[in-house]
Amino acid sequence: MPLALYGHPFSSYTQKALIALYENGTAFEFRCIGPDTPEHTVDWLRRWPIARFPLLLDGERQVVETSLIIEYLQLAHPGPVRLLPADPMAALDVRFLDRYFDLYVMSAVQLAVDTALQRYPMTVDKGRAIASERLERAYAWLEGHLAGKTWAAGDAFTLADCAAAPSLFYADWVHPIAEAHPLLRAYRARLLARPSFARAVDEARPYRSLFPLGAPDRD
């Protein structure tokens, strides 16, 4: 039985898992969660009533949380691109950066999005202002961190870049990365040019109208 991934193409965390699968050419079935495929939604909720995607199914084994999904893929279905270094200390650095993009970049984006969807009792402008302040601090740290690096952790594309790609993609829509951060802007451009992420972006393109803050006419 092939691997199956439950998720949605426009979801940043689904894209994070898709990047890892595409990087290694791993065979899998994509089970889109949406109104056109209610059977996938029923099966997904039966397996994971917490109702968060993506969910990876490997036979009867299921794995949730994108960072764990990517680590699981390296253990159970390794490919030519090693997304976690073999050296434990180097792997720790990659895991830190993965957490950085999820917790300090994507979480700020999610605050702005959730406010626009009226999930928090504040105005859209207030939610976006808070998100922008958090993102600007995150951008400033990344600008210094990226000096001399091609990818987030150095010369190799890793789990950290799987997290960075969708995080920075959507973050720049919420709070554009200023010219004062040229290294970060260049890094985002490299991520967009990476074939695995470019494919994920193209697959999500039909859903841009879902972005509650208004998707810009770029990328």
Side-chain angles (χ1 to χ4, degrees):
M1 181 182 296
L3 293 168
L5 185 73
Y6 294 80
H8 191 279
F10 200 57
S11 153
S12 62
Y13 289 109
T14 299
Q15 289 176 8
K16 179 178 169 181
L18 287 171
I19 292 166
L21 289 160
Y22 293 158
E23 280 289 323
N24 280 303
T26 306
F28 72 102
E29 175 189 348
F30 186 66
R31 297 179 182 174
C32 186
I33 305 300
D36 296 332
T37 52
E39 70 280 8
H40 294 336
T41 302
V42 170
D43 193 40
W44 164 60
L45 291 174
R46 177 179 63 83
R47 294 179 177 280
W48 190 231
I50 300 300
R52 293 289 184 270
F53 46 67
L55 178 149
L56 181 74
L57 188 64
D58 187 4
E60 283 305 309
R61 179 164 192 154
Q62 62 186 43
V63 187
V64 296
E65 299 299 330
T66 49
S67 301
L68 296 180
I69 286 172
I70 293 171
E71 293 215 32
Y72 175 79
L73 288 170
Q74 181 160 295
L75 292 171
H77 301 275
V81 180
R82 187 181 181 93
L83 296 172
L84 266 297
D87 177 74
M89 294 303 290
L92 190 65
D93 291 339
V94 168
R95 289 187 180 98
F96 161 70
L97 289 163
D98 168 69
R99 296 292 78 224
Y100 187 93
F101 286 110
D102 280 2
L103 296 175
Y104 305 123
V105 180
M106 198 60 225
S107 65
V109 173
Q110 196 63 54
L111 171 64
V113 168
D114 284 345
T115 303
L117 293 173
Q118 299 183 325
R119 292 173 178 163
Y120 292 128
M122 68 176 78
T123 66
V124 175
D125 288 345
K126 179 64 174 177
R128 194 161 191 169
I130 294 171
S132 293
E133 189 274 332
R134 292 178 181 178
L135 286 171
E136 191 57 40
R137 281 189 283 135
Y139 293 167
W141 185 87
L142 285 166
E143 182 68 19
H145 169 76
L146 288 168
K149 296 180 178 67
T150 301
W151 302 109
D155 294 332
F157 190 92
T158 67
L159 163 67
D161 303 291
C162 296
S167 296
L168 291 173
F169 179 77
Y170 289 115
D172 190 58
W173 287 10
V174 172
H175 179 67
I177 302 169
E179 292 183 5
H181 304 308
L183 297 180
L184 184 57
R185 287 164 63 95
Y187 173 55
R188 183 179 184 273
R190 286 194 296 278
L191 290 167
L192 278 165
R194 185 83 176 186
S196 58
F197 186 48
R199 179 177 173 183
V201 168
D202 283 341
E203 289 170 346
R205 205 171 291 278
Y207 303 98
R208 291 193 174 193
S209 62
L210 297 176
F211 194 68
L213 295 169
D217 187 20
R218 56 183 171 85
D219 298 326

